[in-house]
Amino acid sequence: MTTDRLVLRPWPADEVTAVLDAVRLPHWAEDFPADEGRVIAGFIADRPDALGPYGQRQIIERASGLVIGAIGLFWPPSEGTLEIGYGIVASRRRRGYAPEATRALVEFALSSPDVHTVYADVELSNPASVRVLEKAGLHRWSEDATTARFRTTTPDLSQR
């Protein structure tokens, strides 16, 4: 999957192993993997099905060819609802990459006949992530003292 500036590709199994073994690869940004990348690699190791077409992906900066983050759908959907999560390394933040990747993956997820809603929960103490979701077109629909909940849905389920 490609966007104007990014490639979103499924994690190669050998790169999951490299992250878990703390081995650096030359095509990774200097600060990849960040904490989120290590968490996702652990998730994939525990659930190999997370590498399927609707699963976890690396975010690659097209201009440099470097892996700069991770994004993924937590498949399978539950009653048509699917969670998305993402992370960009610090050296590539504030460039609009996270909203760009999120928009692309949300659109892809909503193209599945099994999905009508994509959501993400974010800590209110993380205003940058709140902005990512807003810029990606998700709408805040709920909030408590610590967490904002965002979602987007298919425009008309009867057209599916």
Side-chain angles (χ1 to χ4, degrees):
M1 172 181 316
T2 60
T3 68
D4 288 343
R5 302 177 299 153
L6 305 170
V7 174
L8 309 179
R9 76 161 180 215
W11 280 71
D14 62 326
E15 293 194 32
V16 172
T17 302
V19 169
L20 295 174
D21 292 344
V23 174
R24 294 241 353 109
L25 297 179
H27 62 279
W28 291 352
E30 63 277 1
D31 49 351
F32 182 85
D35 290 340
E36 298 90 353
R38 286 186 283 279
V39 168
I40 292 299
F43 175 79
I44 294 168
D46 290 342
R47 294 198 47 191
D49 60 323
L51 292 176
Y54 291 97
Q56 302 298 312
R57 296 169 181 265
Q58 292 179 327
I59 301 172
I60 301 164
E61 184 180 51
R62 287 177 66 181
S64 68
L66 297 175
V67 178
I68 61 165
I71 189 166
L73 301 166
F74 294 91
W75 196 264
S78 173
E79 298 180 13
T81 301
L82 187 60
E83 183 177 9
I84 191 169
Y86 51 84
I88 300 287
V89 295
S91 66
R92 297 307 198 281
R93 291 182 185 153
R94 302 184 65 114
R95 299 180 188 194
Y97 289 154
E100 183 175 331
T102 301
R103 275 190 302 275
L105 203 55
V106 164
E107 182 178 308
F108 175 71
L110 292 175
S111 73
S112 167
D114 298 327
V115 177
H116 60 73
T117 301
V118 177
Y119 76 93
D121 296 343
V122 62
E123 298 296 317
L124 292 171
S125 61
N126 186 353
S129 195
V130 168
R131 285 191 303 278
V132 165
L133 295 171
E134 291 169 344
K135 289 178 181 179
L138 282 79
H139 305 283
R140 188 183 309 218
W141 66 277
S142 173
E143 183 176 311
D144 62 28
T146 61
T147 305
R149 293 167 191 82
F150 288 81
R151 69 180 175 193
T152 189
T153 60
T154 55
D156 182 356
L157 296 177
S158 67
Q159 294 179 5
R160 300 192 114 210

